[in-house]
């Protein structure tokens, strides 16, 4: 069973920054995708930033392009999410995620992913 150690959530004012960190372990497969998703109350879970460890491909949601950056430490299956110029609409629970392969068909679509962490809360006030 994949385990995720997530950290870095918190509360900031609009325009502020946060960095989320995740270390994934316990894999019985070689992950094709590692990434961050988020879910706000009453909304569907959405992909924020995804990286393919084998190839280095990176995908971002349009809403975060230019503000968020995903970093990969391949040797540790660790991914960080640097979030800049945060907006109130970024408020959500953020989840680290991994998948063996189907994620590659739709990297930002949560139903293509198998494994998610417990989440870390990010709250941005105006």
């Amino acid at each position: 069973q994949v385990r995720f150690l997530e950290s870095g959530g918190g509360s900031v004012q609009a325009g502020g920054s946060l960095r989320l960190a995740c270390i994934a372990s316990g894999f019985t497969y070689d992950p094709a995708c590692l990434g961050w998703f988020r879910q706000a109350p009453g909304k569907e879970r959405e992909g924020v930033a995804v990286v393919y460890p084998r190839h280095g491909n990176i995908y971002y949601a349009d809403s975060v392009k230019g503000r968020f950056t995903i970093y990969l430490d391949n040797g540790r299956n660790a991914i960080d999410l640097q979030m800049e110029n945060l907006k109130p609409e970024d408020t959500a629970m953020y989840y680290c995620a991994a998948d063996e392969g189907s994620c590659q068909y739709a990297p930002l679509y949560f139903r293509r992913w198998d494994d998610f962490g417990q989440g870390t809360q990010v709250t941005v006030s105006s």
Side-chain angles (χ1 to χ4, degrees):
Q1 184 177 356
V2 181
R3 297 180 297 276
F4 299 89
L5 181 61
E6 299 157 312
S7 62
S11 298
V12 294
Q13 290 191 327
S17 303
L18 282 174
R19 188 175 181 106
L20 306 182
C22 172
I23 301 176
S25 62
F27 284 103
T28 57
Y29 59 84
D30 181 17
C33 311
L34 295 170
W36 286 96
F37 286 72
R38 68 185 181 187
Q39 188 167 17
K43 293 189 176 181
E44 189 172 84
R45 190 168 294 189
E46 62 174 353
V48 174
V50 170
V51 58
Y52 292 176
R54 301 170 195 165
H55 309 293
N57 296 24
I58 291 176
Y59 301 90
Y60 293 102
D62 287 343
S63 59
V64 307
K65 283 180 182 176
R67 301 188 299 120
F68 289 14
T69 305
I70 189 169
Y71 296 96
L72 169 68
D73 182 341
N74 219 346
R76 297 190 305 139
N77 283 324
I79 50 172
D80 285 8
L81 185 68
Q82 179 67 40
M83 304 184 292
E84 306 284 350
N85 190 23
L86 283 159
K87 303 176 180 180
E89 51 263 42
D90 294 318
T91 295
M93 186 72 79
Y94 283 69
Y95 299 90
C96 188
D99 188 78
E100 185 174 9
S102 62
C103 54
Q104 297 175 93
Y105 295 100
L108 297 176
Y109 183 43
F110 76 98
R111 294 194 188 278
R112 287 288 187 177
W113 292 65
D114 282 337
D115 296 301
F116 290 87
Q118 295 295 310
T120 184
Q121 178 68 36
V122 171
T123 302
V124 185
S125 58
S126 57

